[in-house]
Amino acid sequence: MPLSRDALLDYYDAVIATQPEVARKGKANPYTSCKGRMFSFVTKENELAIRLNDEDREAFLKKHKTKPIIVYGTVMKEYVRIPESLIRRTKELAKTFAKSFEHFDSLPQNPTTKPKKKGSTKKAAKKTTRKKATAKKSPRKKAVSKKAPAKKDTRKKTATKKATRKKSATRNVAAKKKPAARKAPNRKTASRKKPTRKKR
């Protein structure tokens, strides 16, 4: 019976546990790495592959006579396929796993970041200067927005002044239109006037 996915991962975890400095990574595609270099993984077809140097790889292929590992149509030349019979023998497989880890642990750290281009520093400097310029301009905009409501207030005051002027003008016009009060006749002047006699 071929190993199931869960059984293969259990054996894989048991082998990884023999090296305390190594931890399994990846959920869909489990693998192990050292100093930025992957040295073992499990394929989607439930095959375990371990990466070895030239001498250890030749010795392993002569002893076990396994087929090469093919992933997405490409042959993984530095890896060897671990036969199912060896997967079940954890102690013996742990020796091959230890050789792989020791080899890649002796290598220098693999640089994961790409080298920067010559023009990249100049572009970054331009971006920073643009950001600073926008940061300086922003408070001026805020100051204008604060002054805007003050202008609205002056307009309201002028509108209220005009309204009061109109009211006062209408009152003056109404006062002019009212008829002047008739003066009461003076009694002294009325008594002095002599009655005119009618001519016969």
Side-chain angles (χ1 to χ4, degrees), residues 9-27:
L9 292 177
D10 288 340
Y11 282 113
Y12 188 40
D13 289 335
V15 173
I16 294 171
T18 58
Q19 299 294 327
E21 297 178 2
V22 182
R24 193 182 86 178
K25 301 176 182 178
K27 292 182 179 179

Side-chain angles (χ1 to χ4, degrees), residues 48-63:
L48 178 59
I50 295 179
R51 192 176 182 182
L52 298 170
N53 58 19
D54 294 338
E55 294 179 2
D56 293 334
R57 185 169 60 257
E58 288 177 3
F60 186 90
L61 291 174
K62 285 179 181 179
K63 184 178 180 180

Side-chain angles (χ1 to χ4, degrees), residues 98-166:
K99 288 180 182 179
S100 177
F101 173 69
E102 287 172 1
H103 170 66
F104 289 101
D105 190 34
S106 63
L107 298 177
Q109 182 70 33
N110 188 21
T112 54
T113 56
K114 294 181 181 180
K116 294 182 180 179
K117 294 180 181 180
K118 292 180 180 179
S120 61
T121 54
K122 292 181 180 179
K123 289 180 180 179
K126 286 181 180 178
K127 286 182 180 179
T128 51
T129 51
R130 286 177 184 174
K131 286 181 180 179
K132 287 179 181 179
T134 52
K136 288 179 181 179
K137 289 180 180 179
S138 58
R140 291 180 182 176
K141 291 180 180 179
K142 290 181 180 178
V144 172
S145 61
K146 287 180 180 179
K147 290 179 181 178
K151 290 181 181 179
K152 291 180 181 179
D153 295 336
T154 54
R155 289 176 184 175
K156 288 180 181 180
K157 288 179 180 179
T158 52
T160 51
K161 285 180 180 179
K162 287 179 180 180
T164 51
R165 286 175 183 174
K166 285 181 180 180

Side-chain angles (χ1 to χ4, degrees), residues 77-91:
K77 295 180 180 179
E78 296 182 359
Y79 289 85
V80 294
R81 183 197 301 270
I82 307 299
E84 188 175 334
S85 59
L86 183 59
I87 293 172
R88 295 177 185 274
R89 299 194 296 272
T90 306
K91 290 182 180 180

